[in-house]
Amino acid sequence: MKTFYIETFGCQMNAHDSEKVVGTLVTEGYQQVETAEEAELVFYNTCSIRDKAEQKVFNRLQQFKKDSKGKTFAVLGCVAQQEGEKIFEKAPHVSMVCGSASYNKLPQMLVQLEAGNKRVTGLSLDTEDTFETPMTRRDNPHRAYITIIEGCDKSCAYCVVPFTRGPERSRTSASVIAESRQLAEMGYSEIMLLGQNVNSYRDPSPAAWDFATLLDAVGRVEGIRRVRFTTSHPRDFVRPIIEAIATNPSLCNHVHLPVQSGSSRVLEAMRRSYTREEYMQRIAWMKASPRAIAITTDVIVGFPGETEEDFRATLALLDEVEYDSVFSFKYSRRPNTHALALEDQIPEEEKSRRLAVLQEHQRQIQIRRNADYVGRVEECLVEGFNKATVQWIGRTSQHKTLNFVHAGSEDLLGRYVDVRVTRSGPNSLAGEYAH
Ligand code: 5AD
Ligand code: SF4
């Protein structure tokens, strides 16, 4: 049993966890292969944020139900933590169920599997541990993820994360800075700081840095040209973060600040611990920044009890903020959560209608916003090349995709270039190489 395959669902935290899991497996002598069919050990790193995401892993497992000979299946991540040993009942060919708070125990668990153990679990949430490993297999050659805080201490009424990722645990600032330096030496120029709520980062060492201090320090590491972070919680989003972005050019001028709803009444039912007005205060700080900051958000439509008036308040908020991009979702009932018991669930068709209305509304805002970029010159990190359109794919500091043409024949991949924006659409910009 020495080859493995891993498939990852869900957020960037999960993507990065998988990179660390791969590093751990390779250190233990396993070899990664490209398909589940050829692997002896099959890992699914799962997401349970919405019901649809959760179903994906069971669909995958179903494919192998009849023909799982010679294979060992492991379910990792949020579905593993949420469903626990019930997964063995639903899918008897699974041998390992392990949540993210137990990844430090993976080497031990692998030994148990190798010894022929058919039911291995790592489900404790009662932990102070963070998952730090010297060997991380990173997928992207330019941008590297660094986890700074794991878990979540909030209790939003709709959200599984506090149940799947456990309580908040921050890494020491020294270890984050050391990893940033190491990444810079390896040639990475962009770092993305990760956490369920990066704003509540609190250095456990005596230095006791807060998030803004850590962010600024990572931006000062030699060789690091761009620092991003996700995700933020409006309640803990304080002014020093905006001041750091305004004064430190290595910090990308983009903030993802999930609002979830534009109605204070719904926000209260969601237990978000801020009002619409408090949220808009944070937006006002950002809009007043001398360095223009792109703002993106997450919205849930159809939370139990959301009226047409509440929904209209969310649309009005989109107009007021003029987000650069919005991730929008239909409310999905999740196990263990407070909202599960709420009455006045919104019918599925009505949720779909609100989602479509909201997305079209936001599309128009993005068309207007992106049109403002035409004529400007933007610095891009070149992330890819599109053979079909013969265009390079660039990414601006504000996290916009900027596709551009370049007459020269040199390889621009991984380089920072200036691009003149000539056209715009709702989801991207297009332009020409400037220099
Ligand atoms: N239903 C729908 N969307 C949800 N999200 C979190 N929980 C749910 C749920 N139960 C959304 C939120 C969050 C994003 C990552 O997923 O908008 O910010
Ligand atoms: Fe999905 Fe949330 Fe878990 Fe990320 S933390 S994998 S979004 S459930």
Side-chain angles (χ1 to χ4, degrees):
M1 196 172 70
K2 281 295 175 193
T3 55
F4 76 96
Y5 166 80
I6 186 163
E7 181 173 358
T8 309
F9 305 93
C11 62
Q12 283 138 329
M13 292 284 283
N14 254 22
H16 184 43
D17 280 346
S18 285
E19 292 180 332
K20 292 192 265 186
V21 169
V22 170
T24 305
L25 286 163
V26 170
T27 306
E28 299 295 318
Y30 292 78
Q31 188 203 342
Q32 187 170 15
V33 293
E34 294 299 311
T35 65
E37 282 69 22
E38 59 189 307
E40 288 150 295
L41 195 48
V42 178
F43 288 89
Y44 294 115
N45 191 3
T46 61
C47 171
S48 64
I49 196 89
R50 284 168 290 275
D51 187 53
K52 242 201 214 149
E54 178 174 340
Q55 288 320 314
K56 280 188 194 156
V57 62
F58 291 109
N59 293 341
R60 286 291 191 285
L61 288 168
Q62 194 66 30
Q63 287 169 13
F64 291 99
K65 203 159 190 173
K66 287 213 180 69
D67 185 20
S68 61
K69 255 195 260 94
K71 283 194 198 306
T72 302
F73 291 86
V75 178
L76 307 179
C78 293
V79 178
Q81 190 66 51
Q82 179 189 294
E83 296 297 297
E85 303 200 349
K86 277 188 270 173
I87 292 178
F88 296 134
E89 289 159 35
K90 284 195 200 168
H93 52 309
V94 170
S95 299
M96 184 204 276
V97 174
C98 180
S100 65
S102 303
Y103 289 163
N104 283 337
K105 301 202 185 71
L106 275 176
Q108 270 162 268
M109 297 173 77
L110 290 167
V111 171
Q112 291 174 326
L113 277 188
E114 293 273 5
N117 225 310
K118 289 277 175 287
R119 294 277 187 269
V120 182
T121 56
L123 294 169
S124 170
L125 273 186
D126 179 21
T127 176
E128 309 249 299
D129 288 356
T130 52
F131 183 30
E132 288 183 52
T133 148
M135 245 302 277
T136 300
R137 266 294 160 90
R138 289 189 155 90
D139 295 332
N140 182 312
H142 317 295
R143 171 191 295 179
Y145 295 128
I146 299 184
T147 312
I148 62 166
I149 177 168
E150 293 180 24
C152 180
D153 283 351
K154 298 274 187 291
S155 48
C156 302
Y158 50 79
C159 190
V160 288
V161 173
F163 308 100
T164 63
R165 286 189 171 270
E168 281 178 358
R169 293 99 63 198
S170 293
R171 277 174 67 183
T172 64
S173 54
S175 86
V176 173
I177 297 298
E179 191 173 359
S180 307
R181 290 207 179 108
Q182 193 193 1
L183 288 165
E185 275 163 28
M186 289 163 74
Y188 291 94
S189 63
E190 179 172 321
I191 284 177
M192 167 83 106
L193 301 177
L194 292 179
Q196 288 306 328
N197 177 7
V198 289
N199 312 147
S200 59
Y201 173 82
R202 179 51 74 169
D203 183 3
S205 72
W209 285 7
D210 62 7
F211 175 64
T213 308
L214 181 75
L215 179 66
D216 189 53
V218 174
R220 289 178 198 283
V221 170
E222 203 178 317
I224 298 303
R225 288 186 63 161
R226 285 187 170 178
V227 186
R228 305 183 183 279
F229 56 94
T230 199
T231 188
S232 292
H233 191 290
R235 172 90 201 198
D236 306 318
F237 191 80
V238 292
R239 276 185 112 138
I241 302 171
I242 300 165
E243 282 153 21
I245 295 172
T247 52
N248 185 340
S250 301
L251 307 183
C252 289
N253 50 345
H254 167 218
V255 170
H256 183 67
L257 196 63
V259 66
Q260 313 300 359
S261 169
S263 153
S264 289
R265 208 183 62 80
V266 173
L267 287 172
E268 193 180 347
M270 286 177 164
R271 304 189 166 186
R272 285 290 284 175
S273 68
Y274 56 86
T275 61
R276 177 193 175 108
E277 290 66 35
E278 284 163 337
Y279 181 87
M280 287 308 296
Q281 180 68 67
R282 271 81 180 153
I283 299 294
W285 293 340
M286 283 193 268
K287 299 232 176 209
S289 164
R291 188 168 170 221
I293 296 175
I295 310 170
T296 58
T297 201
D298 294 342
V299 172
I300 297 176
V301 298
F303 187 77
E306 183 189 71
T307 63
E308 182 64 23
E309 195 187 337
D310 294 321
F311 175 60
R312 296 270 147 212
T314 300
L315 295 181
L317 182 127
L318 299 189
D319 288 330
E320 243 180 272
V321 179
E322 293 209 284
Y323 290 106
D324 291 87
S325 161
V326 173
F327 298 92
S328 48
F329 312 99
K330 289 190 274 184
Y331 169 69
S332 167
R333 293 178 81 186
R334 306 310 295 131
N336 305 318
T337 59
H338 175 75
L340 189 64
L342 292 183
E343 287 173 10
D344 202 6
Q345 297 284 330
I346 310 297
E348 202 50 37
E349 316 80 78
E350 179 57 15
K351 283 195 259 186
S352 299
R353 185 193 70 82
R354 288 182 194 175
L355 187 70
V357 169
L358 184 137
Q359 289 180 344
E360 179 51 29
H361 197 89
Q362 177 59 24
R363 212 176 84 87
Q364 298 304 327
I365 293 173
Q366 285 173 212
I367 289 173
R368 284 201 302 276
R369 266 196 88 70
N370 284 344
D372 285 347
Y373 282 80
V374 175
R376 285 203 226 166
V377 173
E378 293 286 325
E379 187 189 61
C380 287
L381 167 60
V382 184
E383 295 188 336
F385 182 74
N386 185 336
K387 280 194 190 128
T389 60
V390 203
Q391 282 182 330
W392 291 96
I393 305 163
R395 176 82 60 182
T396 70
S397 173
Q398 300 199 331
H399 205 245
K400 290 189 188 280
T401 303
L402 173 43
N403 301 305
F404 66 96
V405 287
H406 173 47
S409 59
E410 72 257 46
D411 186 2
L412 298 180
L413 219 56
R415 288 193 16 206
Y416 288 81
V417 299
D418 283 338
V419 178
R420 184 177 312 283
V421 181
T422 53
R423 281 178 297 127
S424 68
N427 298 312
S428 66
L429 307 170
E432 294 158 359
Y433 177 86
H435 52 85

